[in-house]
């Protein structure tokens, strides 16, 4: 009923399927896609705020361009002292983070300084 | 990179639905769905691995049909909870997740796992009375156990990797 080596073939097919996912995936946007060798500091003005799962984000006007800044999940922002409404359009903020390797205007923030306090996001 | 975004119409509609909006805005609903999803996957994959190992020849003194009555409902219940919570997590961020290549491969592995279950129950499992206890399982059943273990381990792995690509 079954070929002697079909077990190996099936196992190999499963492994190949998983490996095949990898090259296409590099192009995308995940935690590993940010250049953590260079911590970048940005000062700027908040253009818009999205306080939403899976992670909050802001658009920041800084260094003559509009950045997409990835923050932390709303639950963590809240427990660390930045509940919904504390980040607002027009606010001046400063943050440290890592720039996306493929998206030069996207930054994953490690901490944000706003209203005289510094909040760790990781 | 704009995240509120581009994708097929159905994914956009899902993301902009009241449910999607609630999942994004409610502080603890998304994390709760996330935790339940993990617990469901743990129950499901753990019981599947135990069943697969028995078919591969581990602990042959345990009757398979009896083991199936314990383990398969746990697996099916885990799958149901994982499917519902997975749908909720997907709804919050549908276009971004749909555009994530890892997710598509994950769906493929779930499909492979489900087809394998159907084939397993339609063919080798029908004759389980003849190899229920203390006997090696037929080759086709063993092959199904390997496909099962690989498909569900792969599904869980890719599920975790969605966040990293």
């Amino acid at each position: 009923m079954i070929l002697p080596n079909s077990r190996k073939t099936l196992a190999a097919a499963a492994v190949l399927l998983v490996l095949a996912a990898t090259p296409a995936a590099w192009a995308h946007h995940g935690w590993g896609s940010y250049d953590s060798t260079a911590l970048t500091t940005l000062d700027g003005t908040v253009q818009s705020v999205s306080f939403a799962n899976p992670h909050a984000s802001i658009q920041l006007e800084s260094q003559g361009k509009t950045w997409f800044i990835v923050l932390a999940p709303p639950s963590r922002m809240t427990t660390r002292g930045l509940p919904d409404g504390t980040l607002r359009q027009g606010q001046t903020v400063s943050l440290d983070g890592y720039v996306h390797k493929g998206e030069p205007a996207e930054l994953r923030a490690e901490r944000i300084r706003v209203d005289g306090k510094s909040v760790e996001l990781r | 990179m704009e995240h509120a975004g581009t994708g097929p119409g159905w994914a956009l509609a899902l993301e902009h639905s009241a449910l999607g909006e609630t999942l994004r805005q409610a502080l603890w609903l998304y994390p709760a769905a996330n935790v339940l999803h993990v617990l469901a996957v743990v129950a499901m994959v753990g019981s599947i691995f135990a069943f697969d190992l028995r078919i591969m020849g581990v602990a042959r003194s345990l009757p398979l049909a009896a083991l199936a009555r314990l383990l398969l409902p746990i697996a099916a219940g885990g799958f149901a909870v994982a499917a519902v919570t997975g749908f909720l997590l997907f709804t919050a961020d549908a276009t971004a997740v749909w555009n994530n290549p890892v997710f598509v491969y994950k769906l493929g592995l779930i499909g492979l796992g489900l087809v394998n279950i159907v084939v397993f129950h339609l063919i080798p499992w029908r004759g389980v009375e003849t190899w229920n206890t203390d006997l090696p399982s037929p080759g086709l059943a063993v092959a199904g156990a390997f496909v099962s273990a690989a498909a569900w381990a792969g599904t869980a792995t890719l599920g975790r990797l969605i966040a990293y690509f």
Side-chain angles (χ1 to χ4, degrees):
Chain A
M1 182 109 208
I2 185 152
L3 299 169
N5 63 349
S6 61
R7 205 188 292 174
K8 273 183 191 165
T9 308
L10 288 165
V15 169
L16 283 177
L17 201 60
V18 173
L19 291 178
T22 313
W26 291 127
H28 215 73
H29 134 95
W31 242 211
S33 320
Y34 298 89
D35 180 11
S36 61
T37 62
L39 191 69
T40 302
T41 299
L42 292 180
D43 296 279
T45 311
V46 177
Q47 303 296 305
S48 65
V49 180
S50 165
F51 198 80
N53 283 299
H55 37 59
S57 61
I58 57 174
Q59 307 258 16
L60 184 77
E61 195 68 32
S62 178
Q63 302 177 348
K65 59 179 175 177
T66 304
W67 294 76
F68 179 77
I69 311 288
V70 179
L71 302 171
S75 49
R76 182 187 290 168
M77 304 272 293
T78 302
T79 55
R80 302 249 173 116
L82 282 180
D84 195 9
T86 45
L87 284 177
R88 295 175 307 275
Q89 190 184 356
Q91 234 170 4
T92 302
V93 302
S94 169
L95 41 85
D96 303 326
Y98 302 122
V99 178
H100 194 282
K101 290 171 188 165
E103 304 277 344
E106 177 172 336
L107 178 132
R108 174 190 119 193
E110 296 293 298
R111 70 189 56 80
I112 183 166
R113 286 169 294 275
V114 57
D115 292 339
K117 64 180 172 182
S118 178
V119 177
E120 293 293 321
L121 299 172
R122 301 297 154 221
Chain B
M1 184 177 192
E2 240 330 323
H3 285 213
T6 51
W10 62 267
L12 271 171
L14 205 55
E15 188 168 309
H16 294 135
S17 68
L19 184 64
E21 193 62 25
T22 304
L23 277 152
R24 282 191 298 278
Q25 296 307 322
L27 218 47
W28 292 106
L29 186 57
Y30 188 93
N34 216 338
V35 169
L36 262 180
H37 192 66
V38 171
L39 289 178
V41 170
V42 166
M44 174 191 156
V45 175
S47 61
I48 287 176
F49 278 1
F51 190 68
D52 289 343
L53 282 170
R54 169 60 190 85
I55 289 172
M56 290 173 194
V58 177
R60 274 186 195 151
S61 60
L62 299 175
L64 257 173
L67 210 50
R69 284 198 295 277
L70 171 65
L71 296 179
L72 300 192
I74 297 176
F79 182 85
V81 174
V84 170
T85 51
F87 174 76
L88 292 177
L89 296 173
F90 179 78
T91 301
D93 209 11
T95 53
V97 177
W98 183 253
N99 287 329
N100 188 322
V102 177
F103 181 71
V104 179
Y105 284 104
K106 179 190 173 183
L107 287 186
L109 281 183
I110 292 172
L112 173 68
L114 293 176
V115 167
N116 184 57
I117 289 171
V118 172
V119 172
F120 178 83
H121 280 87
L122 283 181
I123 306 175
W125 188 245
R126 289 233 165 127
V128 66
E129 297 80 14
T130 61
W131 43 281
N132 193 30
T133 316
D134 293 326
L135 291 170
S137 312
L140 193 59
V142 175
F146 274 94
V147 173
S148 163
W152 297 117
T155 298
T157 302
L158 294 189
R160 192 64 282 249
L161 287 181
I162 288 170
Y164 297 88
F165 288 100

